[in-house]
Amino acid sequence: MVLDSHTVKVLKFGGTSVGSIERIQNVAQIVKRRFENEGPLCVVASAMSGETDRLVGLYKTLSEDTQTFEYDLLVASGEQASVALLATALNAIGVKSRALLGYQAGFVTNTERGRAKIQHMDTSHISQICSEGFVPVVAGFQGADDKGYITTLGRGGSDTSAVALAAALKADLCDIYTDVSGVYTADPRICPNAKRIEHMSFEEMMELASLGAKVLHPRSVEIAAKYNTVVRVLNTFEASKGNTMGTTVGPINDLFESPVVTALTTDKNLALFTLRDLQESENVLDRLFTRLSQEGVIVDIIVHSAVHDGGRYTLSFSTPKDDIRLVEKSLNSLDLKASQVDTDLVKVSLVGTGMRSHSGVAARVFQILSQNKIKIVCTTTSEIKISCVVPASQAETALRTLHDEFIP
Ligand code: ADP
Ligand code: ASP
Ligand code: MG
């Protein structure tokens, strides 16, 4: 039988959803119901909650370098266990199932250890399994490079595995089952007044995810937008009670209202480096940022003061905390030294396509932060977002007050 891949759906279950044997059995019941009612399915699962953290912790007792073959091999093992358990739970309730590692499901990646990118997908094996009436249960977060070495896609990467599989299979949709009932106007665990968003455009979700809302991995949204794969975010625990309300992330629909601010988020994964007294003639900007890009460091904010008398200036830039070691290596190689490295900061961001047609949003943000005596370390804006870096101790207050002001 040849499988008509358009009829396949991809269902992904996150760590909390598969966090215990009882929860795995609950997921197996959801899969069984959907398989019986809707036909062929592919399942993607994360490691049981806390397991990847535990493995990373073990690794870091021996080395801080997470860009190694062994890091990938170790941290990928969390998903190996959870998919084997989930497929066993499915078989036990009469749903024929087969557990697969990422490479067995056709995920071919580049060789960037600890943060590999998917380069190619060969879905022939998975399509074969589906057409034989089995439900494949695929280990998220992992693949293999062209030499067969196991790679991982970066923390939170199982969402990216699921959306990439859905795109490659030209699946009808990709359902991301998690521990909240959709995408909210802010993290509902920090902001008690946050509301569930019914529909979101790829563009807004991409911005929100890359600014720190971990409900979807940023690269999963990028892939969804590129291949026009509609993603639904659903609550595993509500779904088992028959509630399927969630958030649909899809193409822009003219019927969507565009509020000025659709959602807010925070990002704690930030280190701010400051270099003072740089000499204009030393050409630091060019040399340093070339070096950082060669090392694969992701630079976010860059603040460059005006050149003062004597040709001296100050430079600040932010990177994810994981890249601190690589930044220090790059600075050393150029005989430079940061006068300050701040790691106790949080970026608070507001996102909304409505900002395109509204002026004065930044002014309101500054007013609210100043009324609440929140210090702004630096700010960046784009067409549809405003971000302010604030001290970590003030970040949750900043998020809640900005949320309640912009999303009444
Ligand atoms: P999973 O293990 O299912 O992949 P994650 O922990 O990666 O789940 O992502 C879900 C979490 O994302 C939620 O528990 C919530 O705390 C957090 N989150 C952050 N921002 C948002 C938001 N805007 N809407 C919903 N959840 C959010
Ligand atoms: N298990 C991996 C992590 O904790 C991948 C994921 O959950 O998406 O980062
Ligand atoms: Mg996740």
Side-chain angles (χ1 to χ4, degrees), residues 46-47 52 79 141 155-158:
S46 298
T52 312
E79 273 71 11
F141 177 55
R155 296 303 308 271
S158 293

Side-chain angles (χ1 to χ4, degrees), residues 12-17 46 156 159 176-180 182-189 208 212-216 263-265:
K12 178 257 169 178
F13 295 90
T16 318
S17 309
S46 298
D159 299 329
I176 305 283
Y177 283 91
T178 183
D179 56 6
V180 283
V183 180
Y184 281 68
T185 49
D187 186 340
R189 298 189 198 286
L208 194 66
K214 77 177 202 211
V215 62
L216 287 178
L264 295 90
T265 189

Side-chain angles (χ1 to χ4, degrees), residues 109-158:
T109 74
N110 66 8
T111 56
E112 268 184 86
R113 309 283 146 215
R115 48 170 85 171
K117 309 281 175 322
I118 301 167
Q119 286 199 316
H120 170 71
M121 293 232 31
D122 174 0
T123 56
S124 53
H125 186 197
I126 224 166
S127 298
Q128 179 66 34
I129 291 175
C130 286
S131 63
E132 288 167 5
F134 282 78
V135 174
V137 181
V138 179
F141 177 55
Q142 54 165 271
D145 64 19
D146 57 356
K147 298 223 164 34
Y149 286 104
I150 301 282
T151 51
T152 56
L153 307 180
R155 296 303 308 271
S158 293

